[in-house]
Amino acid sequence: MNQNPAPREFTTAAGIRAWVTAQRAGGSRIGFVPTMGFLHEGHLRLVDAARAVSDVVVMSIFVNPLQFGPTEDLARYPRDLSRDRSLAAGRGVDALFLPDVSVMYPPGSDTRVVPGPAADVWEGAARPGHFSGVLTVVAKLFHLVSPDVAVFGQKDAQQVALIRRMVRDLDWPVALVVAPTAREPDGLALSSRNTYLSPADRRDAVGLSAALRAAHDAWREGETDGRRLEAVARRALEVYPGVRPEYISAVEPDALAPAEIVGAGYLMLVAARVGSTRLIDNVVFGEGIP
Ligand code: AMP
């Protein structure tokens, strides 16, 4: 049985602002977990991480149209608010912010956050405008919720790197916490988009984490050459014929530039299509895949 009270729900800017202001006036530290909903254990671990360093936890659920390209899956992005409500309640979320598109982007709102060049590579190259959309919504949400701490998932490594930069470059008074990637027992990173995978796709999808694990194993055994580590990952992916890799790259952790020599804290990024679904994953060298 769920022992936690249902989270308070807000759909307007004024509503969430007033509630957060009252919580802060009462001495509470505000933790924030932005999501696009269709919650899974990965999202809920972010709630745990927020809870560990704050007194109240706000979660937003908003499928942000600005971060989807014209041919992407905005219309079919999975949604299930009643399930999300009960999962959020079960994990002790105190407040849900559930704005409509008209609340976040009222008619006439056309200001956008423009990220630096680290937004033009990898996911940004495959999805033009994506990170401007992400940073714009995160900036708005930060203003509406004014959290002390915001929690993001390592699963979206480039997103984390760009949000970290925005917070630093714009002197945002918010602490960032990055939670490790939550995975299925076979290694597949949890993602709302995994629901698109057919049973055959699902079997192939494990190839991404298997490739990252192979590269990480090679690194642990002493291989530090970036190109050779990429080759190890590519070879491991060949075992999964249904996986069509888009990029596999060993990168440094700040600008995500390709790394000649790979040290601890560097990343290997992978993006691939499995059937009609585009998946991304990454491993942090030195941390590995559990
Ligand atoms: P999304 O709903 O996909 O926009 O994700 C919302 C937040 O959950 C982002 O900070 C993601 O990085 C994070 N997240 C998504 N999947 C995972 C996962 N498997 N493990 C940890 N965090 C995740």
Side-chain angles (χ1 to χ4, degrees):
M1 265 314 276
N2 181 359
Q3 302 298 313
N4 298 308
R8 300 287 308 267
E9 289 191 15
F10 302 95
T11 55
T12 65
I16 188 69
R17 273 212 168 108
W19 186 82
V20 168
T21 302
Q23 295 299 314
R24 180 163 289 118
S28 288
R29 193 172 155 80
I30 315 294
F32 180 42
V33 178
T35 80
M36 298 204 299
F38 210 69
L39 301 179
H40 53 64
E41 180 64 21
H43 297 113
L44 300 174
R45 300 241 185 111
L46 307 189
V47 173
D48 298 343
R51 161 82 46 220
V53 291
S54 11
D55 303 302
V56 296
V57 177
V58 180
M59 172 186 277
S60 62
I61 298 179
F62 178 62
V63 181
N64 174 32
L66 282 192
Q67 70 190 69
F68 288 77
T71 62
E72 293 183 359
D73 56 343
L74 174 62
R76 69 172 185 136
Y77 195 83
R79 292 165 163 88
D80 188 343
L81 185 55
S82 60
R83 183 168 155 274
D84 287 351
R85 272 195 183 103
S86 73
L87 288 171
R91 217 53 166 241
V93 168
D94 298 286
L96 280 171
F97 181 45
L98 309 167
D100 274 345
V101 173
S102 62
V103 167
M104 294 301 281
Y105 307 118
S109 115
D110 60 5
T111 301
R112 302 285 179 265
V113 176
V114 180
D120 298 334
V121 295
W122 315 125
E123 283 309 278
R127 308 181 67 188
H130 172 68
F131 287 117
S132 176
V134 169
L135 294 191
T136 301
V137 79
V138 169
K140 274 202 77 125
L141 290 168
F142 279 5
H143 279 306
L144 292 170
V145 175
S146 59
D148 298 286
V149 183
V151 186
F152 295 88
Q154 177 59 33
K155 161 80 169 33
D156 297 282
Q158 192 171 5
Q159 171 171 290
V160 163
L162 288 163
I163 291 170
R164 195 178 272 135
R165 247 166 204 264
M166 175 174 78
V167 163
R168 186 183 65 200
D169 291 349
L170 303 183
D171 299 307
W172 226 299
V174 58
L176 299 182
V177 169
V178 180
T181 301
R183 297 177 181 281
E184 299 282 5
D186 66 358
L188 176 67
L190 299 183
S191 166
S192 307
R193 288 189 168 98
N194 291 351
T195 185
Y196 300 151
L197 299 169
S198 70
D201 293 344
R202 173 63 187 83
R203 286 191 289 278
D204 279 330
V206 74
L208 280 80
S209 56
L212 294 171
R213 189 183 287 113
H216 194 268
D217 287 348
W219 180 82
R220 215 177 250 146
E221 284 156 21
E223 179 61 81
T224 58
D225 182 273
R227 300 298 82 72
R228 285 207 287 265
L229 288 168
E230 289 164 16
V232 168
R234 273 181 201 286
R235 272 200 303 280
L237 255 191
E238 282 165 12
V239 180
Y240 302 87
V243 180
R244 300 189 306 287
E246 287 190 2
Y247 60 76
I248 301 178
S249 193
V251 300
E252 49 79 25
D254 188 30
L256 306 180
E260 301 303 320
I261 301 294
V262 172
Y266 283 42
L267 306 167
M268 182 163 280
L269 307 176
V270 59
R273 279 195 186 270
V274 183
S276 60
T277 308
R278 193 167 176 283
L279 299 177
I280 61 170
D281 199 354
N282 68 88
V283 66
V284 182
F285 289 100
E287 292 178 12
I289 292 180

